[in-house]
Amino acid sequence: MKNVLLVLAHPDSQSLNAQLLSVAQEELQAQGHTVVVSDLYAKNWKAVYDERDFPNRLDETRLSFVAESGHAYRNHTQPSDIVEEQAKLMAADAVVFQFPLWWFGMPAIMKGWIERVFAYGLAYGYRDEGNRFRYGEGGLQGKRAVLSVTVGGPESDYTPRGINGQLEELLFPITHGTLFFSGMEVLPTFAAYDVHRLDVHDIEHTKAALRARMRSLFDDAAIAYRTQNGGEYPDRHILADEIARGCTGLGVHLR
Ligand SMILES: Cc1cc2nc3c(=O)[nH]c(=O)nc-3n(C[C@H](O)[C@H](O)[C@H](O)COP(=O)(O)O)c2cc1C
């Protein structure tokens, strides 16, 4: 049995997001997993990453977030709310992020959870080696992650030629640039579209689909992002010429 952390970014307990979180929690518990929830609005999570996060500064004259993050993490001088969330994160075998799509991304409170919790030395700068371990390797390696997103627009807007662009591409900064960067295996996003138009039947269908995804959380294939150190980026920066020759764009980083 596994440990799963559910992170929720919605202040209303009646919202579809809160309902989906409950469904995920119930299903995971029914599978015998241990579930911990971080309900960010309920805990009045401090979203803004600022100087208050570094009470014991390396350099008082200039706030270098990366340097101070590593210093605070190493020296155990991080604020207690960050330490608590890091403990939950490190205990988790999988993390589910439940949020409404706001301006093609996650609500600020959840972005702020990542900014403050994913410290240098933990989620990046692993072993104090800069970018030596990233994209498939790093402090969060061995954990799974999945985004569960409610979307106002219709699914057609998010199809390959849809006006918004494909949802998985829009979420690339989170799935690839944050979670895979830190070493996590990222599962395909679970999305509920057109959510303001869902009737009772549609909502039940959505909940059933999320339950199914939670049942296969530890079996589903992860998104096949290329790893930094697997040989496809010979200098650790640029994809080898012979791979996806002539292609550019985000899709080249997928096997
Ligand atoms: C600030 C804000 C930004 C939004 N941005 C988007 C967006 O980029 N794309 C979209 O399809 N819907 C967008 N929406 C609609 C939300 O995705 C939708 O209201 C939400 O998923 C509903 O979930 P809830 O009922 O749990 O609040 C936005 C809504 C708000 C309030």
Side-chain angles (χ1 to χ4, degrees):
M1 292 304 107
K2 307 277 192 179
N3 294 320
V4 183
L5 172 61
L6 306 183
V7 188
L8 172 66
H10 204 296
D12 181 359
S13 60
Q14 305 299 311
S15 66
L16 180 59
N17 276 273
Q19 293 180 51
L20 292 177
L21 184 104
S22 295
V23 160
Q25 182 172 12
E26 280 165 24
E27 185 58 46
L28 290 163
Q29 285 171 339
Q31 301 296 311
H33 301 310
T34 301
V35 179
V36 171
V37 176
S38 286
D39 182 341
L40 300 182
Y41 281 97
K43 61 168 44 229
N44 197 20
W45 176 257
K46 173 180 174 287
V48 179
Y49 196 24
D50 61 18
E51 70 284 354
R52 289 170 293 171
D53 292 321
F54 312 107
N56 175 0
R57 291 269 285 275
L58 191 59
D59 180 353
E60 289 291 345
T61 62
R62 181 181 181 278
L63 177 49
S64 166
F65 280 85
V66 173
E68 296 294 349
S69 174
H71 177 70
Y73 178 69
R74 261 193 313 275
N75 294 290
H76 311 286
T77 59
Q78 301 175 112
S80 60
D81 61 342
I82 294 180
V83 174
E84 281 166 26
E85 294 304 301
Q86 287 173 342
K88 292 185 198 173
L89 174 64
M90 296 318 284
D93 298 298
V95 184
V96 180
F97 294 87
Q98 178 66 56
F99 61 95
L101 188 72
W102 282 0
W103 297 116
F104 288 2
M106 50 177 44
I109 199 167
M110 186 176 267
K111 179 73 166 21
W113 185 86
I114 289 176
E115 287 174 11
R116 297 182 63 230
V117 173
F118 280 35
Y120 181 94
L122 184 146
Y124 69 109
Y126 185 56
R127 296 190 184 150
D128 208 6
E129 292 225 43
N131 282 335
R132 171 77 181 79
F133 303 101
R134 62 173 182 171
Y135 293 116
E137 292 179 68
L140 304 187
Q141 194 170 355
K143 303 180 188 301
R144 313 202 107 197
V146 62
L147 308 184
S148 173
V149 186
T150 66
V151 181
E155 188 165 5
S156 55
D157 282 0
Y158 294 93
T159 51
R161 289 172 57 80
I163 191 163
N164 287 350
Q166 294 187 76
L167 187 67
E168 209 71 272
E169 288 202 352
L170 300 177
L171 296 172
F172 190 86
I174 308 169
T175 53
H176 182 266
T178 306
L179 303 172
F180 185 65
F181 183 98
S182 311
M184 300 177 96
E185 291 189 309
V186 186
L187 304 181
T189 296
F190 176 84
Y193 294 97
D194 219 1
V195 290
H196 299 294
R197 292 198 183 77
L198 300 183
D199 61 20
V200 178
H201 173 80
D202 298 327
I203 289 176
E204 283 315 308
H205 181 80
T206 300
K207 289 180 176 175
L210 181 59
R211 274 198 195 92
R213 284 294 304 272
M214 291 299 107
R215 279 196 293 276
S216 58
L217 183 62
F218 292 99
D219 302 318
D220 285 343
I223 299 175
Y225 294 130
R226 302 181 196 279
T227 57
Q228 170 179 274
N229 297 326
E232 290 157 297
Y233 303 89
D235 69 350
R236 298 202 190 119
H237 296 279
I238 298 178
L239 198 56
D241 285 345
E242 67 274 15
I243 298 172
R245 188 180 289 281
C247 300
T248 58
L250 304 182
V252 302
H253 303 295
L254 280 164
R255 291 212 173 99

